[in-house]
Amino acid sequence: MADEKNRWQTLKAEAQAGNLYLDPSVAKGCRDASNKQIELFKTLKDDLVTLKTVTGLGRFNCSDQLAKMLGMKAVGGERDFDTAFKEHIEVLELIRDTIEISVQKYENQQSDQVAATNNKAAELENGGK
């Protein structure tokens, strides 16, 4: 996951520098899909709280240990789902932000070009003044 995070941090920096442009029609769909996935992961992450306490495995010492181990797999243990969802959300937010920056830069560039063209046309109409 660290590699993915680093990759998208690099791409975000490229977008901020104006070196990465994405077609807005495609990028907006990707941004919306990223937002949808972020919301899903946030919901699942919130639902993990209910899985933290495992019951119904019987009245044995080993069942208590198993219940604790399963609860820790949900939240608070090594390689738990809570941490995994958090990391996935961070990467998805980087993807979404990178896309948003790229689209904004592209739209700003298009607006600047239209304004420059309009200014040039106005100059020509006024005799090049």
Side-chain angles (χ1 to χ4, degrees):
M1 188 58 56
D3 289 343
E4 285 298 313
K5 190 172 181 179
N6 288 336
R7 179 177 299 124
W8 283 100
Q9 286 171 331
T10 300
L11 289 171
K12 182 178 178 182
E14 289 294 314
Q16 288 170 325
N19 298 326
L20 176 67
Y21 293 98
L22 302 171
D23 182 303
S25 62
V26 174
K28 289 175 183 178
C30 292
R31 181 201 56 211
D32 294 344
S34 296
N35 281 330
K36 186 175 179 181
Q37 198 66 34
I38 289 167
E39 289 308 312
L40 172 63
F41 283 169
K42 284 181 177 180
T43 299
L44 292 172
K45 189 175 179 316
D46 292 343
D47 290 346
L48 285 174
V49 174
T50 60
L51 298 174
K52 187 176 180 180
T53 305
V54 177
T55 60
L57 298 177
R59 313 247 331 130
F60 306 101
N61 287 338
C62 64
S63 64
D64 292 341
Q65 292 171 355
L66 179 60
K68 182 179 178 182
M69 182 184 73
L70 291 172
M72 295 288 286
K73 191 64 179 166
V75 179
E78 185 178 333
R79 297 177 51 121
D80 65 335
F81 283 101
D82 186 57
T83 302
F85 282 133
K86 179 181 175 278
E87 290 172 353
H88 283 291
I89 290 167
E90 288 173 356
V91 170
L92 285 166
E93 287 173 340
L94 281 169
I95 292 169
R96 180 203 56 208
D97 294 348
T98 300
I99 291 168
E100 192 63 40
I101 291 166
S102 173
V103 168
Q104 191 62 49
K105 292 268 187 189
Y106 179 85
E107 289 174 348
N108 289 346
Q109 182 184 32
Q110 295 300 310
S111 295
D112 291 347
Q113 287 177 348
V114 167
T117 301
N118 289 341
N119 289 342
K120 191 66 168 174
E123 284 178 22
L124 292 173
E125 285 178 7
N126 293 327
K129 295 179 183 177

